[in-house]
Amino acid sequence: MNIVVVGAQWGDEGKGKIVDFLSEKAELVVRFSGGANAGHTIIHGDKIYKLHLIPSGIVSPGKISLLGAGMVIDPVALFAELDELSSAGIVWTGRVFISDRAHLVLSTYQKLDQQMESDRRIPIGTTGRGIGVTYALKAHRDGLRVGDLFSEKAWGHLRPAEKEFLAPFRDRMKPLVVDQAAFMRKRKGSPTLFEGAQGVLLDLDWGTYPFVSSGYSAAGGAALGGGIGPRAIDRVYGVFKAYTTRVGNGPFPTEFRPERDGQLGDQIRSIGKEYGVTTGRARRTGFLDLVALRYACWTNSLDGLVITKLDIYDTFDTIKVCTGYQIDGKVVVDFPTTIEALEKAIPVIQEFPGWKTDLSILRTFEQLPVEVHEYLKFIESFVETPITVLSVGPDKKQTFQRSDPWTPS
C-alpha cells in the first residue's frame, strides 16, 4: 500500500510527527519535495529530533528513507543533519538514500536568493536558503542533479567555485545515491509512506501565489517526486491543526487581530509553541479556516484528515472557527484565487463550547468529551472528509486513530 501525507494548511501542521506515527507499519518513507527550508520535529519520550531534509521515518528503527526526485538538497545541510542523527544514536547507514534526479543547492544560491527577494515587486518572505533559486534553475534547465556529481561530462561543465564547493561531498554522497525509478520498482508492494513538505496552500499552483513555495506541496507531487505513477497511490491524508498558522508574508484571512481578538493570537502562539523549526520565526496565528481546509481536501482528493494540537484549546471557554469570508459585503464559501480578495476577506465565525478537559492524557477517540465530538463532527461535515487520526500532545504516544490508514478497505 502507498500512502501520501501532505499538509492541509500553510505548513507546520505536524506532518513530521504523523509520518513518524504512521511509519510504524511502513517499510519505506519517501520525501517527495522541498528542501532544508522545511522543518519537522519528532518527540519520543525525552528525546527530540529536528529534521529538515531527512524523511521523518528515519527515527523508527529499520525503516528505509529516500530523498526523492522532487527535492532540492543542500549537501552541507544534509551531512550536518546526518551527523546530528548519528550523535543522537540513530543508525542511518544503509537506511538513507538519495534520488539521482534530485537537484543540488549550491553555496552561491543563497546569496542570489536573498538578492532576488530584495528585488521582487512583491516580497514573499523567503527563508533565503537558495531553495527557490534551485527550483528556478531546474525549470530553466540549468540546474545540477545529484547524479551529475558522478558524470565526468557534467562535472566538466561546472565552474571552479562550484567544483570546490562540491568536491568534499562526492565521495560521501556516492554510496547514498540510487536510480529512484529502479529503486521504487524493486520495492513494489512494500508498505510505503510518501511525505510532503510545507502545505497545500503553499503549493506552486494551488497555493496563494506568489506567496508560495517553489516546489509542489500538493498530493500530486508524490507521484512526480516519489518515483511512482498516480494510479499507484492508494490513500492520501492531510494534516491540519485545530487552528491555523502561517509564516512569512501573504494573505491570511483568519489571522487573529488585536483590535478584534485581543491577545488571542499571542496566547495561541505561546501555548502551541508556534515558532519555526528551521528559522525560529514566530508564526502568525488565526482561527481554524474551514473554507481553506475544504479547498485542500478537494484539490488533493483527501481520503482522511489528521487533526493535531487539539489539546491547545483545553482551557478555552469557546472555540471559534471560520465558515466563510465576507468580501465586499458578500459571503463567500469557496477559497478565492486572487490575493486581493483574500486580503479583503473578513472571517465569518461560528462558535462551539469548550471542553475544559485535559485531552493530553486521553488515548482513544471514545474517551474524548462530547464537546470535542461535536466540534470534530462539524468539521467533517463542512469539509466533507473524515478525521481519521487525532493528536493531543507532542509525544508520539499522544496520537491515536479512529481507523487504521494501513487497513485495506
Side-chain angles (χ1 to χ4, degrees):
M1 180 176 285
N2 293 321
I3 292 179
V4 177
V5 176
V6 296
Q9 295 168 313
W10 276 288
D12 308 308
E13 303 95 346
K15 294 182 297 299
K17 177 192 176 182
I18 300 307
V19 169
D20 176 50
F21 175 76
L22 293 177
S23 68
E24 286 188 355
K25 294 185 179 181
E27 294 178 11
L28 172 64
V29 182
V30 181
R31 167 93 175 267
F32 63 81
S33 66
N37 56 336
H40 294 160
T41 300
I42 310 296
I43 299 177
H44 283 198
D46 59 350
K47 292 186 177 181
I48 300 176
Y49 306 94
K50 294 187 176 182
L51 304 173
H52 303 277
L53 284 165
I54 308 300
S56 301
I58 192 63
V59 179
S60 298
K63 311 301 178 183
I64 302 296
S65 292
L66 174 64
L67 284 69
M71 291 189 67
V72 292
I73 298 170
D74 178 345
V76 175
L78 171 68
F79 286 105
E81 190 169 323
L82 289 173
D83 289 342
E84 287 179 9
L85 287 171
S86 296
S87 298
I90 301 295
V91 179
W92 58 266
T93 304
R95 298 175 52 216
V96 173
F97 298 95
I98 304 170
S99 172
D100 57 359
R101 294 174 181 265
H103 277 246
L104 289 163
V105 181
L106 303 187
S107 56
T108 53
Y109 293 177
Q110 294 185 8
K111 185 176 181 181
L112 183 56
D113 198 355
Q114 293 162 9
Q115 181 62 46
M116 288 175 64
E117 175 71 4
S118 65
D119 291 342
R120 290 183 198 276
R121 292 188 297 271
I122 307 175
I124 62 173
T126 175
T127 59
R129 292 174 176 263
I131 307 302
V133 171
T134 309
Y135 277 117
L137 289 173
K138 175 181 178 178
H140 195 57
R141 293 157 295 174
D142 195 28
L144 184 70
R145 300 190 295 182
V146 169
D148 294 334
L149 290 176
F150 316 106
S151 163
E152 291 306 319
K153 185 175 182 180
W155 184 260
H157 286 301
L158 296 182
R159 301 177 180 90
E162 294 171 338
K163 290 181 180 179
E164 183 180 358
F165 170 67
L166 290 168
F169 301 107
R170 291 179 86 188
D171 289 341
R172 291 191 71 183
M173 194 171 287
K174 192 169 186 178
L176 310 182
V177 179
V178 297
D179 175 340
Q180 185 176 355
F183 185 89
M184 296 301 294
R185 179 174 55 80
K186 291 175 183 176
R187 287 161 178 78
K188 180 180 179 181
S190 299
T192 302
L193 200 56
F194 292 86
E195 174 185 1
Q198 284 84 44
V200 172
L201 300 180
L202 292 175
D203 183 75
L204 188 59
D205 288 315
W206 295 104
T208 50
Y209 189 91
F211 301 98
V212 294
S213 179
S214 300
Y216 28 72
S217 303
L224 293 170
I228 61 171
R231 292 174 62 188
I233 295 173
D234 295 294
R235 288 180 182 166
V236 183
Y237 291 91
V239 185
F240 75 103
K241 283 188 282 206
Y243 48 95
T244 310
T245 63
R246 178 164 196 165
V247 173
N249 301 338
F252 188 177
T254 65
E255 185 169 15
F256 295 130
R257 303 194 180 283
E259 67 275 14
R260 181 189 65 206
D261 309 308
Q263 299 301 310
L264 188 56
D266 291 334
Q267 188 179 3
I268 292 290
R269 185 181 300 110
S270 176
I271 299 173
K273 299 180 174 59
E274 293 297 347
Y275 298 89
V277 176
T278 301
T279 64
R281 288 188 292 182
R283 297 178 184 133
R284 299 158 64 188
T285 55
F287 300 111
L288 175 60
D289 188 337
L290 295 185
V291 175
L293 184 60
R294 181 168 59 186
Y295 170 80
C297 292
W298 172 253
T299 55
N300 290 265
S301 297
L302 296 186
D303 294 288
L305 285 164
V306 179
I307 185 169
T308 64
K309 296 202 172 183
L310 191 55
D311 56 301
I312 300 305
Y313 279 128
D314 283 355
T315 62
F316 285 65
D317 293 324
T318 59
I319 291 86
K320 300 178 182 180
V321 300
C322 169
T323 58
Y325 305 145
Q326 189 177 53
I327 302 175
D328 293 332
K330 298 180 179 179
V331 175
V332 174
V333 294
D334 286 309
F335 194 72
T337 299
T338 68
I339 299 303
E340 181 182 12
L342 287 166
E343 288 177 339
K344 289 181 180 179
I346 299 171
V348 176
I349 298 298
Q350 183 160 337
E351 292 191 31
F352 292 85
W355 40 84
K356 294 288 189 173
T357 302
D358 181 4
L359 300 186
S360 68
I361 62 174
L362 306 183
R363 294 295 177 267
T364 67
F365 179 76
E366 291 71 24
Q367 293 175 325
L368 296 171
V370 63
E371 292 84 359
V372 177
H373 283 269
E374 292 301 317
Y375 174 61
L376 298 180
K377 185 177 179 181
F378 180 82
I379 294 172
E380 291 178 314
S381 175
F382 191 97
V383 303
E384 301 170 343
T385 307
I387 295 173
T388 304
V389 180
L390 301 91
S391 172
V392 293
D395 197 271
K396 185 176 183 177
K397 65 184 180 181
Q398 293 172 304
T399 307
F400 48 89
Q401 52 197 24
R402 297 172 69 182
S403 60
D404 186 355
W406 291 105
T407 300
S409 54

